[in-house]
Amino acid sequence: GQQLNQSPQSMFIQEGEDVSMNCTSSSIFNTWLWYKQEPGEGPVLLIALYKAGELTSNGRLTAQFGITRKDSFLNISASIPSDVGIYFCAGQWKGAQKLVFGQGTRLTINP
Amino acid sequence: GAGVSQSPSNKVTEKGKDVELRCDPISGHTALYWYRQSLGQGLEFLIYFQGNSAPDKSGLPSDRFSAERTGGSVSTLTIQRTQQEDSAVYLCASSLGVSETQYFGPGTRLLVL
């Protein structure tokens, strides 16, 4: 099935560092979403973006809906150990209910 | 309140057997979704329900896969004559209504030997 191109696939960082990941698509999406998944759990919504150019923050997390509607990025500032997990972007077309997911970015933090 | 629950949490089966996976959505949520997550991959849409109807079942990989929802609540995903490539985590999500935030359950980990 169609997936978004998410990068990087994995990141190994030191505690306290900032993190940036992004997703690109050949399709225009109406909504961009960022989820986090921890082992043995389902994805949990972090940030939802609904307008091109929108920049939204949730604590140390900041995400933007690209102006072309074909990309989005997620930044995590001052990473802490509980940020460890797999981060997924997801796009949703106008009028569609299903989400299209990226392949995920696995974040590992060295204390 | 209770989140989305799924059962069983793990299922090991032999190739060729049928399996049933169950999803209990959040109470009051009218929309229900099934996704599949293969190892190291993102989620792949299978089917979604609005009430008991499935307006979009475009993601079901083959006719061995079917799903139903009864009473606007519980949903069952059935895989007939399982194959090894069916091994994956099957995730269910529900939302209050269409285009609302989707809340995911913990998934059922299926291993076909």
Side-chain angles (χ1 to χ4, degrees):
Chain A
Q2 177 173 357
Q3 285 193 324
L4 304 175
N5 294 316
Q6 184 173 349
S7 64
Q9 289 188 341
S10 60
M11 302 184 73
F12 299 85
I13 63 170
Q14 300 293 321
E15 183 177 351
E17 288 185 13
D18 296 344
V19 170
S20 184
M21 59 192 78
N22 70 85
C23 274
T24 60
S25 171
S26 57
S27 298
I28 291 176
F29 286 109
N30 210 50
T31 302
W32 280 94
L33 305 163
W34 285 92
Y35 283 85
K36 179 187 178 186
Q37 186 177 30
E38 298 187 18
E41 303 291 330
V44 174
L45 182 66
L46 300 173
I47 293 180
L49 303 158
Y50 301 104
K51 289 172 55 177
E54 180 180 354
L55 184 71
T56 298
S57 293
N58 178 6
R60 294 177 296 106
L61 277 62
T62 302
Q64 184 159 29
F65 191 142
I67 198 71
T68 65
R69 308 177 76 94
K70 293 183 178 181
D71 63 314
S72 178
F73 72 75
L74 174 70
N75 288 341
I76 305 173
S77 63
S79 59
I80 59 177
S82 62
D83 291 334
V84 166
I86 304 176
Y87 292 80
F88 291 99
C89 61
Q92 189 173 36
W93 292 299
K94 185 176 183 179
Q97 303 311 312
K98 69 180 182 182
L99 301 179
V100 179
F101 281 82
Q103 302 96 323
T105 296
R106 181 181 295 274
L107 180 62
T108 303
I109 298 176
N110 299 316
Chain B
V4 177
S5 60
Q6 294 186 243
S7 61
S9 54
N10 293 281
K11 176 72 176 178
V12 180
T13 190
E14 293 179 350
K15 178 181 171 181
K17 295 283 181 67
D18 297 351
V19 295
E20 284 190 353
L21 312 180
R22 176 187 168 105
C23 173
D24 281 88
I26 295 172
S27 178
H29 280 197
T30 63
L32 185 148
Y33 311 79
W34 284 98
Y35 292 85
R36 179 169 70 174
Q37 185 176 28
S38 299
L39 187 64
Q41 298 295 313
L43 284 70
E44 176 187 20
F45 170 80
L46 298 178
I47 185 172
Y48 107 91
F49 289 89
Q50 178 58 38
N52 294 333
S53 301
D56 187 356
K57 53 180 77 172
S58 62
L60 295 178
S62 73
D63 58 8
R64 296 187 295 105
F65 287 72
S66 63
E68 65 174 12
R69 189 180 186 196
T70 55
S73 181
V74 171
S75 176
T76 302
L77 177 68
T78 301
I79 309 174
Q80 295 179 309
R81 305 181 302 281
T82 51
Q83 302 295 312
Q84 289 182 331
E85 60 263 29
D86 298 336
S87 298
V89 177
Y90 290 82
L91 289 153
C92 175
S94 70
S95 63
L96 190 60
V98 296
S99 301
E100 301 279 347
T101 299
Q102 296 181 26
Y103 296 89
F104 284 83
T108 292
R109 281 146 195 80
L110 174 66
L111 177 62
V112 182
L113 300 176

